Amino acid sequence: MTEDTQVTIGMPVRNGGQQIRTAIDSLLSQTHRNIRLVISDNCSTDETREICREYARRDSRVTLHEQPENLGICGNFRFVLMQADTPFFLWACHDDVWAPEFIQKNLENLQRNPQAVASTSRVAMVTPDGRRAMSNGTFALQGPAADRLRAFFWDPGEVSRFYGVYRTEALKRSFPEDIDVFGYDWIVMALNLLEGEHLELPEVLLAREDHDADHYHRTLVRRQPRRLYRWMPHLPMAQVLRRRLPPEIWRACRGRILRRNAIQSLMYFKYRVPALAPLIRTLSVLERARTRYIKAI
């Protein structure tokens, strides 16, 4: 069954530059050959479109959509998902690299576990200067739905689980149109955890580019004109979750969601007031120690 199963890979991109060649090459070299790569170029101003056209001409598995208007990050991720008509799907970033067995092993994992809707490997985060660290955002989430969401919101990490292999229809149900807010990927993951369990393979089969600590806050400043939502970055996310989660799940998770808001507010405070960074780093160390203790008991 695995070899006959077609998988759609959705690659939303804007100004991917030459990095996109390495990403596409690693995807087209997967041991699971029955794939369809859907690239959505979001109004790139560099050589990205021509590079993608080249791949589409050479390999019939590659389809390129050249967007006439900028869909935004969230909109572009949703666009490639909605193009999928295959049983399984994964998102791919232009600056990541996959081991050849990534799709095959995650697909086999899902086929062995019908209660699961997502599977990913462990993930290495790689800085521009080559330093590597393990992502803390791929751990398995199993058991009752409320337990899955509570565990997720306690420490989502870099949300590297977002780049696993998914059951397509369950993922489409998890990505409504009206969630274009800071943290939309957390919303998608939360709604997907209502659909079923998330699994993790022990191998490291994906390397992701690691951004500096202030990358997301610079993005927030560019995209968010309202000052309140800059200082409380995940408030819009919490409002969406309150509307979208079943009432009993919201009540079980709201304390942890509010905790995430507090942490992100402190991180933004550090970005805006660098003089207080040492104090906030100390609080962060204490919080991580508390998290490790809670996970151990």
Side-chain angles (χ1 to χ4, degrees):
M1 179 180 177
T2 302
E3 286 303 318
D4 295 333
T5 303
Q6 190 175 32
V7 179
T8 298
I9 305 167
M11 178 178 280
V13 63
R14 175 176 167 83
N15 294 339
Q18 290 296 321
Q19 282 181 297
I20 201 170
R21 290 187 182 275
T22 301
I24 294 176
D25 286 341
S26 73
L27 291 168
L28 297 181
S29 299
Q30 291 290 301
T31 55
H32 184 83
R33 303 293 296 168
N34 197 1
I35 61 172
R36 175 185 175 220
L37 175 57
V38 177
I39 304 172
S40 174
D41 181 83
N42 204 16
C43 303
S44 289
T45 58
D46 64 359
E47 68 268 45
T48 298
R49 286 193 176 192
E50 186 50 48
I51 292 171
C52 294
R53 289 171 187 158
E54 173 191 329
Y55 278 96
R57 288 192 297 267
R58 282 178 9 205
D59 195 315
S60 61
R61 296 175 296 170
V62 180
T63 301
L64 171 63
H65 295 269
E66 300 183 21
Q67 300 298 340
E69 297 180 356
N70 193 323
L71 301 178
I73 298 172
C74 178
N76 209 20
F77 270 86
R78 190 176 188 276
F79 175 85
V80 292
L81 170 62
M82 294 304 159
Q83 306 314 300
D85 57 3
T86 58
F88 297 92
F89 176 89
L90 71 146
W91 278 298
C93 288
H94 74 273
D95 50 5
D96 293 347
V97 181
W98 296 259
E101 306 85 6
F102 180 87
I103 292 178
Q104 178 185 336
K105 290 190 173 182
N106 282 295
L107 186 56
E108 290 171 348
N109 201 23
L110 282 174
Q111 291 176 334
R112 287 193 301 267
N113 296 277
Q115 80 286 357
V117 293
S119 173
T120 187
S121 69
R122 299 205 69 195
V123 174
M125 306 297 295
V126 185
T127 62
D129 61 2
R131 289 179 290 113
R132 295 169 68 94
M134 295 305 302
S135 168
N136 62 350
T138 62
F139 53 93
L141 292 164
Q142 298 172 281
D147 292 348
R148 297 195 296 263
L149 270 80
R150 281 171 54 81
F152 172 69
F153 279 114
W154 182 259
D155 187 13
E158 303 93 351
V159 203
S160 290
R161 70 180 66 253
F162 196 74
Y163 300 98
V165 177
Y166 288 83
R167 299 190 191 276
T168 304
E169 292 307 312
L171 188 58
K172 285 183 176 181
R173 290 192 294 270
S174 308
F175 205 144
E177 291 186 82
D178 60 344
I179 62 166
D180 189 3
V181 298
F182 185 73
Y184 75 90
D185 49 347
W186 290 16
I187 297 171
V188 173
M189 292 297 92
L191 297 180
N192 193 247
L193 285 164
L194 295 176
E195 300 277 347
E197 296 181 343
H198 285 194
L199 308 177
E200 180 195 54
L201 296 171
E203 305 101 315
V204 179
L205 300 176
L206 170 59
R208 296 185 59 211
E209 183 175 34
D210 195 7
H211 298 289
D212 64 77
D214 291 331
H215 168 80
Y216 294 104
H217 293 301
R218 291 194 298 270
T219 301
L220 178 67
V221 169
R222 288 196 305 270
R223 295 184 60 201
Q224 181 52 261
R226 298 185 63 179
R227 186 166 304 220
L228 171 64
Y229 290 152
R230 292 184 186 181
W231 289 100
M232 302 182 69
H234 280 324
L235 180 57
M237 180 193 76
Q239 292 168 333
V240 172
L241 288 169
R242 185 175 184 180
R243 294 196 306 268
R244 291 282 177 178
L245 293 177
E248 67 278 9
I249 300 290
W250 167 255
R251 288 192 295 270
C253 297
R254 63 187 172 190
R256 298 191 175 201
I257 294 170
L258 294 174
R259 173 177 171 271
R260 299 313 313 173
N261 271 272
I263 291 171
Q264 288 298 319
S265 293
L266 282 174
M267 294 301 100
Y268 186 70
F269 198 82
K270 183 182 74 169
Y271 168 68
R272 298 298 291 183
V273 189
L276 294 179
L279 173 61
I280 295 173
R281 277 197 295 269
T282 299
L283 292 173
S284 177
V285 169
L286 292 173
E287 173 64 17
R288 284 197 298 271
R290 179 171 175 261
T291 297
R292 286 195 297 270
Y293 173 76
I294 290 173
K295 286 183 176 180
I297 61 176

